[in-house]
Amino acid sequence: QYNSTNVIKTSSGEFDLIIDDKADILTEEEEIKLQDDMTSLLEYGNIAFVTFDSDYTSVSSKASSFYSSNFGDENGSLFLIDMKVRELYIYSVDSNSRIITDMKAYTITDNSYHYASNEDYYTCAKVTFQQMYSVLEGDKIAEPLRYFTSAISSLITSVFICFVYAYLSSRKKKTSI
């Protein structure tokens, strides 16, 4: 249901779902579809989608402030899009924060960022919530940047080891008497 500020707020037993699109990046139809997409996450805690377009100190402090003012310290997660600096941010509390770690949150936003870059904010949010649900279910998600970084680190380490070996084996040895 909509309240006076066009914020969708739904309650499902002990947890709540909020869609607060202050930046007005979604149509009403997309907000309703997104609400359906987010409903499965209610079994893991409170869930929120927030957009804003204002000068705020930091995205993390905005997320923390919004979450605590709406949900207190109850279990849940929030996906926030800051249109001013074009930043995606996932904030989790309690047991969700132990499952959706900062690294997982960065991976999820990396996986959905290209949709936001193409101004397809509904798909960006939908993919983000699907991946959050997968992580909470214990499933694996694609982590291409992690694999790329591991491959580059391995390559640099092997080149360094080869260099050290070549250096040590090419040194002149003194003859003994």
Side-chain angles (χ1 to χ4, degrees):
Q1 63 194 156
Y2 279 94
N3 65 17
S4 60
T5 59
N6 289 333
V7 175
I8 295 177
K9 188 166 186 174
T10 306
S11 193
S12 150
E14 79 181 281
F15 297 118
D16 296 329
L17 178 149
I18 295 176
I19 298 176
D20 188 356
D21 187 16
K22 287 199 183 354
D24 200 27
I25 60 175
L26 299 177
T27 65
E28 284 186 35
E29 294 81 25
E30 289 174 331
E31 288 178 2
I32 291 168
K33 287 193 301 188
L34 185 60
Q35 180 183 2
D36 292 338
D37 296 331
M38 294 168 62
T39 302
S40 61
L41 287 158
L42 285 171
E43 67 184 88
Y44 293 102
N46 296 302
I47 189 73
F49 174 70
V50 181
T51 66
F52 67 97
D53 189 12
S54 64
D55 294 322
Y56 203 83
T57 54
S58 74
V59 177
S60 62
S61 61
K62 175 67 176 178
S64 174
S65 172
F66 182 90
Y67 193 91
S68 63
S69 67
N70 286 282
F71 305 119
D73 59 355
E74 293 180 16
N75 189 42
S77 297
L78 166 123
F79 175 50
L80 185 139
I81 299 178
D82 180 354
M83 295 302 291
K84 190 75 165 183
V85 293
R86 303 282 193 225
E87 185 175 348
L88 308 179
Y89 188 77
I90 295 174
Y91 177 79
S92 294
V93 175
D94 203 20
S95 66
N96 278 13
S97 66
R98 289 187 289 277
I99 299 170
I100 302 176
T101 61
D102 288 341
M103 285 299 278
K104 285 288 184 198
Y106 291 136
T107 299
I108 292 169
T109 55
D110 284 345
N111 290 344
S112 62
Y113 192 81
H114 64 279
Y115 296 110
S117 297
N118 295 330
E119 297 182 5
D120 186 1
Y121 300 109
Y122 166 72
T123 306
C124 174
K126 178 182 176 181
V127 167
T128 299
F129 287 119
Q130 286 173 341
Q131 290 194 4
M132 287 170 68
Y133 183 75
S134 293
V135 169
L136 289 168
E137 285 281 300
D139 296 337
K140 302 268 185 209
I141 58 171
E143 300 182 79
L145 290 177
R146 181 176 171 191
Y147 299 133
F148 178 74
T149 304
S150 295
I152 294 297
S153 297
S154 299
L155 183 65
I156 290 171
T157 302
S158 63
V159 167
F160 179 73
I161 290 170
C162 288
F163 173 76
V164 169
Y165 176 75
Y167 175 76
L168 293 175
S169 64
S170 67
R171 291 189 346 191
K172 292 183 179 179
K173 296 183 174 138
K174 291 184 178 182
T175 45
S176 62
I177 298 182

